[in-house]
Every structure is written in structure tokens, then in C-alpha cells.
Amino acid sequence: QKEVEQNSGPLSVPEGAIASLNCTYSDRGSQSFFWYRQYSGKSPELIMSIYSNGDKEDGRFTAQLNKASQYVSLLIRDSQPSDSATYLCAVGRMDSSYKLIFGSGTRLLVRP
Amino acid sequence: GAVVSQHPSWVICKSGTSVKIECRSLDFQATTMFWYRQFPKQSLMLMATSNEGSKATYEQGVEKDKFLINHASLTLSTLTVTSAHPEDSSFYICSAQTGLGQPQHFGDGTRLSIL
């Protein structure tokens, strides 16, 4: 079992729809959770951080965290073609290693 | 805020050459910096973790004598690919972090092509 799992996709949604991206993790001691966006040929860009159970909203993005079920999700409202990218989920601890464990990413395709 | 600068962005050189890549945190002090490699259509692969003033910690399978990492200050880390060969051609990306549990902020990456 991978430490951080994501569906590789592609997830295809029409423009204006809500895109829902999911991530599960295996380490129950994980305490910090991040979503990164990576365009083809570019480096990852941080879009959301979440540390507590529940929802966190930032513009069109909402991150959701459920530690009991060990999953974190990202919702993108009013999806735009410019949102087409690979979305990486990353998980970390705050008591030991500095490393973040990255999922392999979900490719999102927003159709005009 | 949280800007990480990485240079050069693109390198083409002959086999056997050593190549140095710089990673700087411009507006914050980074307790820890990371070096990743990414092949086309593949996941990020962590190569090593470095803390200022101490030796880097390399991931399993990464040759520390080939990929030399220096973290001289809280804002600068360098990766030197020694005696590079075509199989070292890849996209190298650095990131910087301010502390435990904090996000990593990535540089723009360096595309390395060895002929």
C-alpha cells in the first residue's frame, strides 16, 4: 500500500463544473496536508494547506480533511480550462521528519 | 511571499561535465531544503533533504558522491551533479521549508540535458 494514494485520472469535467479530487494516506500520525498544482513541464505550486478536520475554503478551492477516515480532498468550483493540471496531495508530520510524502497526482482535464 | 529561486532553468552539456544548480529562498529563511528529480510523466522523486550547516540526508538509491549537496546558509542550497551522463538527464526541482509541518515551496526547476 502506498503511503499517499491518489487516482491517476484523468478526471475530465466540463467547464463550470465542480471537480473533486481525493487522496488517502496511511500514516495516522500525519498532521499537515497540502494540495499542489503542477502544470505540464513546470514545478509544483502550493494551492492549499489544511491541518484540522473539516473544510477550508480559499476562493474557488475547498480542502476537506477527515483524519478518522484518513482522507483529504480538494474541490474546485466553477472549473476553468486553466485548472487543467496534475494535482498532488502531500502529507507531513509535525513531530519528526521534515519530509512531505507526495501522492503520484491526479490529472484534471477541464473541457471548454 | 515564500519565493524560491532556482538557477539555471535549463542546462545542456556534454557527458562527463559537472553541473551546479542553485536554490535560494528569497524572502524567508529555510530550515530545510529538498532536492527532487522528475522524469517525464512520472512522480516527483525525493533525492535528498538538507539542513543548513549539516550533511544532507540522501534517499535510498541516490548516490551521494554523484549528487553533491551543500547547504551553506539558511537561504542557499546547491546541488552538483558530478560527471553527468545521459541517464542523469531529468527535471531537477528544489524546495524550501520554514519548519516542521510547514508546506514546501518549490523553485521553478532545472531541466538538465546531458549529450
Side-chain angles (χ1 to χ4, degrees), chain B residues 3-41:
Chain B
V3 178
V4 176
S5 173
Q6 185 174 341
H7 292 282
S9 56
W10 193 47
V11 179
I12 300 177
C13 58
K14 293 180 180 179
S15 185
T17 307
S18 292
V19 177
K20 180 186 278 190
I21 303 170
E22 283 193 356
C23 180
R24 293 180 185 272
S25 56
L26 297 186
D27 53 0
F28 66 100
Q29 292 189 324
T31 55
T32 309
M33 288 185 168
F34 304 85
W35 289 95
Y36 293 85
R37 182 166 56 181
Q38 188 174 38
F39 293 104
K41 300 192 185 300

Side-chain angles (χ1 to χ4, degrees), chain B:
Chain B
V3 178
V4 176
S5 173
Q6 185 174 341
H7 292 282
S9 56
W10 193 47
V11 179
I12 300 177
C13 58
K14 293 180 180 179
S15 185
T17 307
S18 292
V19 177
K20 180 186 278 190
I21 303 170
E22 283 193 356
C23 180
R24 293 180 185 272
S25 56
L26 297 186
D27 53 0
F28 66 100
Q29 292 189 324
T31 55
T32 309
M33 288 185 168
F34 304 85
W35 289 95
Y36 293 85
R37 182 166 56 181
Q38 188 174 38
F39 293 104
K41 300 192 185 300
Q42 293 190 22
S43 306
L44 284 174
M45 188 194 83
L46 179 65
M47 298 175 68
T49 302
S50 76
N51 293 292
E52 182 260 343
S54 60
K55 288 184 179 180
T57 302
Y58 290 81
E59 295 299 301
Q60 192 171 8
V62 178
E63 300 174 60
K64 60 182 178 183
D65 294 331
K66 181 168 186 63
F67 299 100
L68 301 179
I69 292 172
N70 183 278
H71 194 157
S73 74
L74 284 172
T75 59
L76 173 63
S77 177
T78 60
L79 168 69
T80 301
V81 183
T82 61
S83 186
H85 292 286
E87 59 266 28
D88 299 322
S89 298
S90 188
F91 188 41
Y92 291 85
I93 315 172
C94 73
S95 70
Q97 187 182 49
T98 55
L100 275 173
Q102 298 303 304
Q104 292 180 21
H105 302 281
F106 287 86
D108 288 341
T110 297
R111 201 159 301 279
L112 177 62
S113 294
I114 309 297
L115 305 178

Side-chain angles (χ1 to χ4, degrees), chain A residues 36 38 41 43 96 98-99 104, chain B residues 38 43 46 100 104 107 111:
Chain A
Y36 288 84
Q38 185 175 24
S43 65
S96 56
Y98 287 85
K99 289 195 295 188
S104 55
Chain B
Q38 188 174 38
S43 306
L46 179 65
L100 275 173
Q104 292 180 21
R111 201 159 301 279

Side-chain angles (χ1 to χ4, degrees), chain A residues 8-35:
Chain A
S8 61
L11 172 65
S12 181
V13 300
E15 184 174 355
I18 296 175
S20 177
L21 304 161
N22 300 311
C23 169
T24 58
Y25 59 94
S26 60
D27 183 358
R28 284 198 170 273
S30 300
Q31 296 163 291
S32 55
F33 306 86
F34 308 99
W35 283 98

Side-chain angles (χ1 to χ4, degrees), chain A residues 29-59:
Chain A
S30 300
Q31 296 163 291
S32 55
F33 306 86
F34 308 99
W35 283 98
Y36 288 84
R37 177 176 61 198
Q38 185 175 24
Y39 291 113
S40 181
K42 302 293 185 182
S43 65
E45 171 192 11
L46 178 69
I47 52 174
M48 289 289 286
S49 304
I50 188 166
Y51 299 89
S52 304
N53 279 330
D55 295 0
K56 179 181 178 183
E57 186 175 318
D58 184 359

